[in-house]
Structure formats: structure tokens, C-alpha cells
């Protein structure tokens, strides 16, 4: 079993804590004068996304987590699993709903996502920062109103709802920032 | 002031060392120089020394100049100080670099209260008249945790650890629990300015004398000075009895064994120099890098080191 000592803790290191894979966010060495030293560590639980704070004995060993990030193409879903493929090896992985989580509303066929694998299975999915998706539902557009402010909700073919300018129409393809959920630009008119 | 040039840092360090030397030359202490490579090292269970494997023999990089200074003091009763590098393996962080600069001094016939005033005078001459709070180990544990640290059982402490910290273990000793609670619950509450913390539990006496406090309870004649939340200085009214010193070293080694650390051969030259006893004195050491950080208002020790650990 591979382990890391607290002395090796640095941001991004993957360890197992209470059975869950975690990524170390911050490690602070603290020592009360002449006494025992401790490591005050902030971790992100990679399963739940929650932030943890934990204090360790300095020098203590923690189990390493076999976690890696792989670029994979999203293929399709059967409603229960989302299938991704490694574009180099053509190896496929099935991610369940808890792994896909919030990314689900941005998943468009053939887009390249970052799939985090734990012991070889998908743990989480990160969509591309920018995606291009078509509008499937929105109020009728106001032609010629391209310069004015104002926005309206638009539902995209992947299920996400974003605020878009008033002139956009069903069938338009728009570019969205998945980190903020914000509309960036129109890519193509319907 | 976050990015000072190497020359600005060096110039500030030069001013600091000058101020230190002026202070001691005016108050009658002599600067001495002691080795960095020594045949013996500390038994302190929580300090790991670097071992240097030279063709000339095995030596330790000194974790503190203390043993040499006490050997000197024994044969040459005179107040002394040294500015030196000290080395502690595995200690890195915002306030720690494994190689660091230390000022350590000893005053003959000083009691704990005298050496505290001496230290405060030096620090306030250099940093200015910072607000000052005086606490005892008892008073801070009372204030922040409503606990008597000298009486509490491991079980009492463990309850507080579970309640107030994110510690992933049960504490195995009262000392571990007290140190954890101090680090996690008390130090973070320290206000800007100077906090003097004194009268430590007997179990943390290290190399200090043990005497009854105002309530007749035995406490260690040891103090620490904090600047804000950062420990700056640690000092003792020095234990002078060589037999008691030997038994504390031996106890350290038992703790080292329990922690799975290598035991350390006792520094017999020190014990012999102390036999039958060291002249009555008090001593203190100050982390010079941290003092410089405070002067320059810098948060990370790397900012005052020209070549911090990962660049050295």
C-alpha cells in the first residue's frame, strides 16, 4: 500500500481519508513552541466535492489514493450510465449519476471532458470550460434588438438553462462558460 | 511589503544583528561562537536532528546552541550570547525552515521574571512599543477552554479535542492533547502585539527549573513570547542540577522509543560540565527570521531567506 507522510503533503496530492479519495488543498505545519508538531490540512473530498479540515500528527503516514485525471470523449447515455471513451486507446468508461453530477447539463456528444478515475473507475467528470450547444426552448426573439441589454432564459439541448440576450432564437447555437454558466456568444444562427 | 529584493532583506537583517549586538554590548554580555557540527544532539522527542556522515566521523547539525553555551557558562561564569544557524529536520511551513537563524543568550543570576523583562526590552527596542499581554498556561486554558491544564485528565482533554478540533486521532497523552488544544484553540486567538506565556506544566519543563506557583502548584519556570500568533522566543530559568537533567534526558529517550524514534546518546560533556550544578542563570532563544518577518511585516519565512529550503 503506497503511503505519503505529512512531510510530503502538497497541494494536489491524492490521499484516502475515512475511506474516501481526497485531494490536498493546503498543508500548514504548526508546532506549539517546543512541543509536538502537527499538520493542519485542508482537503477536498473528491467523491462529494466537500471541503474537509483535518489535523494530523506531523510525520504521520496516510494512504495514497490511486486517482488520475484523463481526457475522455463523451459518447452517450442510457439514462443510468454516461459513457466516455479515451480517444487514444478507445477504452470506454461508464460513469454513474453521482460521478457525472452537475456536469450532466453540459454534456454534449464528442466533447472532450476530464474524467477523474479512482482505482480505474470514474469518480467525477469535469466538462470543457467552453461548450457550444443549441437552444431548444426560449421565448421568441426580438429581431434587431442586438445591442440592447436585457435577457431571457433559454433551455439548451443538454438540459441546462442559461440567460441569453433577447435576440436569440430556438435553434441558435451558443457558446457558454460551464464554470459560471454564463452565455458568451452566438456561434451560429438557426 | 511582500516582495523585497535580496539586498533590502539583507540590509534589514544587518540592521537587526547590529541592534542585537549593540543591546548586548551595552548590557554586559559577550558574543561567543559555538560549533554547528557536534558529536551529540538534543534528546527532545519532538526535534529531529540532521546527521552528517563525514569521513572524519558522524556529527549532528546543531538543533540549538544550548548545550555548548551551557558548557561554556559552567567553566566561565559570564553572561553570553550567540547568533547562529540551527537545524531541525522535517520542520517547514510559513514560520519554519529546516535551517534557521537563532539568537540565544544566558544571564547569570537572572530569575525567570528578569529574563522575561530582558527579552521584552530587546524586542520592544527593535519593534517599537507593541501592546503587551501577560498570560500563564493556566490563565489561557481557563479563558479559552475553561480548563485547568495542570489538573485535567486525558479523558477531559480528549472531550475538548473532539469538540473543538479536527484531529483525526485519540490523543495518547495529556501532553499531546494540551499541545494540540494550545495550537488549534488558543494560539489562533492571540491578538496582534506581544503575548508572554509562562508557567508551563511540569511535563513541558524541558530544561527549566520547576517551582511552586502562587497557588502552591508546581509549574515549569519556562516562558514563551508570541508576536501575534507566532512563537518568537522560548526561555527558561535554567535547571542547574545535573542529576535531574540526566533523568529528564532519559525520560525524553523513553518518549522517543514510544514514538518509534531513535534514542539519542546523552551529551555527557554537558552533564559533566553541569556537575554538580550550573551557575544559577536564565536563558532564552529567539527566532531571528521571525523577528525580521515581524519588523518587515512579512507573512512567510521564505520572504526573509535569500535561499529558502526548496531553493537552497
Amino acid at each position: 500500500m503506497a503511503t505519503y507522510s505529512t512531510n510530503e503533503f502538497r497541494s494536489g496530492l491524492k490521499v484516502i481519508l475515512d475511506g474516501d479519495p481526497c485531494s490536498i488543498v493546503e498543508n500548514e505545519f504548526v508546532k506549539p513552541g517546543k512541543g509536538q508538531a502537527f499538520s493542519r490540512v485542508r482537503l477536498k473530498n473528491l467523491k462529494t466535492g466537500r471541503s474537509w479540515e483535518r489535523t494530523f500528527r506531523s510525520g504521520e503516514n496516510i494512504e495514497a489514493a490511486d486517482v488520475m485525471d484523463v481526457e475522455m470523449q463523451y459518447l452517450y447515455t442510457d439514462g443510468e450510465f454516461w459513457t466516455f471513451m479515451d480517444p487514444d486507446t478507445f477504452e470506454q468508461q461508464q460513469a454513474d449519476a453521482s460521478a457525472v453530477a452537475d456536469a450532466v447539463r453540459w454534456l454534449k456528444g464528442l466533447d472532450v471532458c476530464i474524467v477523474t478515475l479512482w482505482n480505474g473507475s470514474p469518480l467525477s467528470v469535469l466538462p470543457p470550460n467552453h461548450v457550444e450547444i443549441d437552444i431548444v426552448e426560449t421565448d421568441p426573439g426580438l429581431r434587431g434588438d442586438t445591442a440592447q441589454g436585457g435577457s431571457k432564459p433559454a433551455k439548451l439541448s443538454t438540459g441546462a438553462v442559461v440567460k441569453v440576450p433577447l435576440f436569440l432564437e430556438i435553434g441558435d447555437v451558443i457558446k457558454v462558460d460551464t464554470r459560471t454558466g454564463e452565455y458568451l456568444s452566438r456561434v451560429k444562427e438557426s | 511589503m511582500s516582495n523585497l529584493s535580496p539586498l533590502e532583506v539583507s540590509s534589514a537583517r544587518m540592521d537587526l544583528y547590529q541592534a542585537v549586538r549593540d543591546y548586548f554590548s551595552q548590557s554586559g554580555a559577550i558574543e561567543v561562537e559555538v560549533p554547528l557540527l557536534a558529536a551529540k544532539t538534543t534528546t527532545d522527542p519532538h526535534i529531529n536532528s540532521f546527521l552528517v556522515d563525514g569521513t572524519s566521523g558522524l556529527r549532528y547539525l546543531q538543533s540549538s546552541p544550548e548545550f555548548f553555551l551551557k558548557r561554556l557558562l559552567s567553566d566561565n561564569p559570564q553572561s553570553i550570547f550567540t547568533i547562529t544557524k540551527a537545524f531541525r529536520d522535517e520542520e517547514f511551513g510559513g514560520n519554519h525552515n529546516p535551517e534557521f537563524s537563532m539568537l540565544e543568550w544566558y544571564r547569570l543570576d537572572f530569575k525567570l521574571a528578569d529574563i522575561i523583562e530582558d527579552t521584552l526590552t530587546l524586542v520592544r527596542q527593535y519593534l517599537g512599543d507593541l501592546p503587551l499581554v501577560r498570560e500563564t498556561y493556566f490563565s489561557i486554558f481557563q479563558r479559552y477552554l475553561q480548563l485547568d491544564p495542570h489538573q485535567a485528565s486525558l479523558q477531559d482533554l480528549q472531550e475538548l479535542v473532539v469538540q473543538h478540533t479536527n484531529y483525526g486521532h485519540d490523543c495518547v497523552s495529556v501532553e499531546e492533547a494540551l499541545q494540540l488544544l494550545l495550537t488549534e484553540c488558543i494560539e489562533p486567538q492571540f491578538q496582534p502585539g506581544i503575548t508572554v506565556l509562562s508557567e508551563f506544566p511540569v511535563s513541558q519543563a524541558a530544561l527549566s527549573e520547576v517551582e511552586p506557583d502562587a497557588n502552591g502548584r508546581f509549574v515549569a519556570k519556562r516562558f514563551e513570547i508570541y508576536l501575534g500568533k507566532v512563537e518568537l522566543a522560548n526561555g527558561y530559568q535554567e535547571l542547574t542540577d545535573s542529576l535531574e537533567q540526566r533523568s529528564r534526558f532519559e525520560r525524553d529517550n523513553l518518549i522517543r522509543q514510544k514514538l518509534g524514534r531513535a534514542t539519542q546518546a546523552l551529551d555527557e560533556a554537558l552533564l559533566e560540565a553541569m556537575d554538580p550544578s550550573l551557575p544559577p542563570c536564565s536563558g532564552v532563544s529567539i527566532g531571528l527570521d521571525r523577528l525580521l518577518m515581524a519588523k518587515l511585516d512579512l507573512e512567510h519565512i521564505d520572504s526573509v531567506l535569500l535561499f529558502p529550503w526548496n531553493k537552497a
Side-chain angles (χ1 to χ4, degrees):
Chain A
M1 185 178 78
T3 59
Y4 293 116
S5 151
T6 59
N7 302 313
E8 299 171 272
F9 282 13
R10 57 184 187 280
S11 172
L13 198 73
K14 310 292 195 296
V15 295
I16 305 273
L17 187 61
D18 297 350
D20 279 0
C22 298
S23 176
I24 288 173
V25 179
E26 204 179 346
N27 174 27
E28 190 186 355
F29 176 87
V30 285
K31 187 165 174 164
K34 285 189 87 69
Q36 179 173 340
F38 303 98
S39 283
R40 199 182 286 151
V41 182
R42 226 153 35 88
L43 310 101
K44 188 180 166 196
N45 184 323
L46 294 173
K47 240 173 149 175
T48 63
R50 273 208 294 273
S51 205
W52 275 358
E53 284 185 21
R54 190 59 75 87
T55 303
F56 297 92
R57 290 186 182 117
S58 182
E60 175 177 354
N61 287 307
I62 316 290
E63 192 183 342
D66 175 16
V67 171
M68 55 181 180
D69 293 335
V70 190
E71 286 197 342
M72 298 187 98
Q73 235 173 358
Y74 169 61
L75 298 183
Y76 63 89
T77 178
D78 62 7
E80 190 180 357
F81 290 103
W82 285 255
T83 301
F84 293 82
M85 182 183 73
D86 185 321
D88 297 325
T89 63
F90 305 114
E91 191 190 331
Q92 294 191 5
Q93 290 283 358
Q94 318 264 348
D96 63 15
S98 72
V100 171
D102 282 350
V104 69
R105 60 203 182 107
W106 305 115
L107 289 180
K108 203 188 74 184
L110 302 185
D111 273 357
V112 176
C113 302
I114 293 172
V115 179
T116 302
L117 301 175
W118 178 33
N119 296 330
S121 307
L123 181 67
S124 64
V125 172
L126 190 68
N129 290 343
H130 298 151
V131 290
E132 294 175 3
I133 310 176
D134 53 316
I135 295 174
V136 293
E137 251 181 68
T138 192
D139 290 340
L142 298 169
R143 285 286 169 198
D145 191 16
T146 53
Q148 296 296 92
S151 64
K152 59 180 180 178
K155 190 174 178 191
L156 309 184
S157 59
T158 55
V161 176
V162 293
K163 283 193 167 167
V164 300
L166 299 174
F167 63 85
L168 290 174
E169 307 257 18
I170 292 174
D172 285 346
V173 177
I174 61 168
K175 191 174 188 179
V176 184
D177 189 320
T178 60
R179 294 163 296 186
T180 58
E182 274 171 20
Y183 164 86
L184 294 173
S185 61
R186 176 164 62 175
V187 180
K188 196 176 85 195
E189 275 182 69
S190 57
Chain B
M1 268 206 260
S2 59
N3 277 317
L4 293 182
S5 75
L7 286 182
E8 287 169 316
V9 168
S10 300
S11 155
R13 190 178 284 273
M14 189 168 85
D15 291 345
L16 166 59
Y17 289 12
Q18 191 59 53
V20 167
R21 291 192 162 106
D22 288 349
Y23 178 77
F24 286 108
S25 84
Q26 282 156 21
S27 57
I30 289 181
E31 181 164 11
V32 297
E33 194 174 278
V34 295
L36 294 180
L37 288 168
K40 297 285 168 54
T41 189
T42 180
T43 53
D44 186 318
H46 302 299
I47 293 179
N48 288 320
S49 304
F50 287 96
L51 186 58
V52 179
D53 185 2
T55 313
S56 316
L58 286 178
R59 293 272 148 151
Y60 294 96
L61 278 171
Q62 278 305 277
S63 65
S64 148
E66 179 160 10
F67 293 179
F68 283 120
L69 294 178
K70 285 184 171 168
R71 282 165 66 184
L72 255 177
L73 203 62
S74 244
D75 294 335
N76 311 274
Q78 156 72 41
S79 295
I80 48 177
F81 78 99
T82 192
I83 292 175
T84 186
K85 285 293 184 80
F87 303 85
R88 295 180 186 178
D89 199 3
E90 295 182 19
E91 301 194 1
F92 335 44
N95 298 310
H96 292 84
N97 194 63
E99 172 176 350
F100 61 102
S101 295
M102 188 186 259
L103 161 67
E104 181 152 326
W105 75 95
Y106 292 83
R107 301 273 199 191
L108 287 184
D109 300 318
F110 268 40
K111 295 288 197 187
L112 190 72
D114 305 323
I115 196 81
I116 290 176
E117 292 321 304
D118 191 21
T119 311
L120 288 173
T121 306
L122 170 63
V123 171
R124 294 173 109 184
Q125 269 184 18
Y126 178 64
L127 290 179
D129 262 335
L130 296 170
L132 172 64
V133 180
R134 291 172 198 264
E135 299 278 7
T136 63
Y137 210 82
F138 178 80
S139 70
I140 49 167
F141 273 81
Q142 279 285 307
R143 169 144 349 115
Y144 296 113
L145 295 167
Q146 293 78 52
L147 177 97
D148 177 351
H150 303 293
Q151 306 276 332
S153 68
L154 181 55
Q155 200 186 338
D156 298 338
L157 294 166
Q158 181 60 34
E159 275 175 31
L160 291 176
V161 165
V162 170
Q163 224 177 312
H164 295 292
T165 77
N166 300 304
Y167 203 42
H169 303 276
D170 289 340
C171 290
V172 296
S173 66
V174 167
E175 277 151 277
E176 179 182 19
L178 288 175
Q179 285 163 1
L180 181 71
L181 291 168
L182 181 68
T183 305
E184 296 291 87
C185 306
I186 297 175
E187 285 179 4
Q189 318 262 10
F190 283 177
Q191 298 303 307
I194 298 174
T195 302
V196 180
L197 179 59
S198 61
E199 302 192 347
F200 280 70
V202 172
S203 62
Q204 296 176 38
L207 293 96
S208 67
E209 297 231 90
V210 168
E211 282 181 3
D213 68 3
N215 300 315
R217 185 168 26 222
F218 278 93
V219 294
K221 303 302 273 183
R222 172 184 161 198
F223 75 102
E224 294 212 345
I225 286 182
Y226 286 80
L227 284 177
K229 304 172 193 345
V230 179
E231 184 217 2
L232 177 73
N234 178 65
Y236 311 127
Q237 180 178 315
E238 301 292 342
L239 175 68
T240 55
D241 178 343
S242 68
L243 284 178
E244 170 65 13
Q245 187 64 76
R246 178 182 295 278
S247 84
R248 288 194 198 170
F249 285 161
E250 284 166 353
R251 200 161 54 220
D252 278 351
N253 267 334
L254 287 178
I255 298 173
R256 292 186 77 89
Q257 271 176 333
K258 265 197 226 159
L259 295 172
R261 299 203 159 136
T263 56
Q264 293 292 359
L266 307 194
D267 190 339
E268 294 295 342
L270 169 70
L271 292 168
E272 195 178 310
M274 283 176 71
D275 187 33
S277 84
L278 201 65
C281 64
S282 289
V284 57
S285 64
I286 283 187
L288 289 171
D289 307 302
R290 294 183 188 171
L291 190 52
L292 196 52
M293 285 160 67
K295 178 77 171 181
L296 300 175
D297 199 16
L298 296 170
E299 298 256 303
H300 201 289
I301 193 167
D302 287 2
S303 335
V304 296
L305 301 173
L306 302 190
F307 300 97
W309 183 256
N310 56 10
K311 291 185 183 147

